[in-house]
Amino acid sequence: MSTIRPRTAPVSETPKAHAAAAIRALAPGLAACVVAVGVAFGLHALLPSLPAMTIAVVLGIVAANVPGVSGWVEGPWRAGLRFAGKHLMRAGIVLLGLKLSLGDIASLGWQAFGLIVAVVLLAFAGTYVLGRLFKLPGDVPLLIATGFSICGASAIGAMAAVRGTKHEDTVLPVALVTLCGTLAIGTLPLLMHPLGLDVVTFGRWVGASVHDVGQVVAAAQTAGAVALSAAVVIKLTRVVLLAPIVATAGVWERRRRVRSAAGTPGTPGKFPPIVPLFVLGFLAMIALRTFGWASPVVLDVGGLLQEIALGAALFGLGSAVRVRELLHAGPRSLVMALCAWALIAALGLGAVWLMA
């Protein structure tokens, strides 16, 4: 007589095994990011006029579109690249706060600060309107407006998090802000003497007009250390405005979802936070720098980690760019971005003339 053995339930995957599987899935893509960041830093050391962050984006685009390598990007690297584009971007934004001191901003004076705020708000509104006029889809006008007016790809990542924008929908804004910021590096120095700008006014113009922090440094350093110092203070003042603008967008998005849920019975009551956790971290890092609670060593290490995190994130975002798809989208988005670039350059120039 045979013995009937009781059926045993399948053993569920332990948290430790689940974590190990996740690490294995992410490792190839993150390793590719590390290599890309190393190459970007190396090329930047050889060619200081090229920002490492811009190089990282370009390397990602190249990897996604070169036969052979693109198969790895779409295959075993994809999970890690997506993780970098989302989570390392947020880590980089937090660490970016260590570069900011409210004391440096206060030294500008209220008039200069008010002019910078006006440039950011007018550039944001103008770029958003241009995006709508050119009929760009979805959140693309909002993301481009945020990136152009505040701090490039970092601001795009922050706004996308608040809006719940899909990772794929951030690709075009990041590509455009990188392209136009790179254009500014080559163009603005050529306009310094024809416009009759001294080194301080030129540096302020660069800080008020160029998108990414690395692009600001690359453009301003062509006129020397004085111009670079003036540019960085103005630029970092724009970066501080990331928190209130993202918080405002968070309130707007929350109210929109509340109204939508009110008209749909049974809709889960899950809404985005008014201020994302990583933006609070960004503000906390500003406080550390402002009150002198971070030692010079901590600031140096934080700055290095910030560049590594953002470089990896931008490589991940660049790897989602398909040149064929961008060309298929037509020239509309490119023309709109160039118009927005000209707008913010004009607004920045007007502001620095008023500061003089």
Side-chain angles (χ1 to χ4, degrees), residues 105-125:
I105 296 170
S107 67
L108 289 172
W110 287 109
Q111 181 186 12
F113 180 75
L115 287 170
I116 296 167
V117 172
V119 167
V120 170
L121 294 179
L122 290 173
F124 183 93

Side-chain angles (χ1 to χ4, degrees), residues 286-320:
I286 294 176
L288 286 178
R289 175 66 181 263
T290 300
F291 295 109
W293 295 336
S295 67
V297 174
V298 170
L299 295 178
D300 290 341
V301 172
L304 177 61
L305 292 177
Q306 181 255 332
E307 291 187 353
I308 293 173
L310 283 185
L314 291 174
F315 177 75
L317 289 174
S319 70

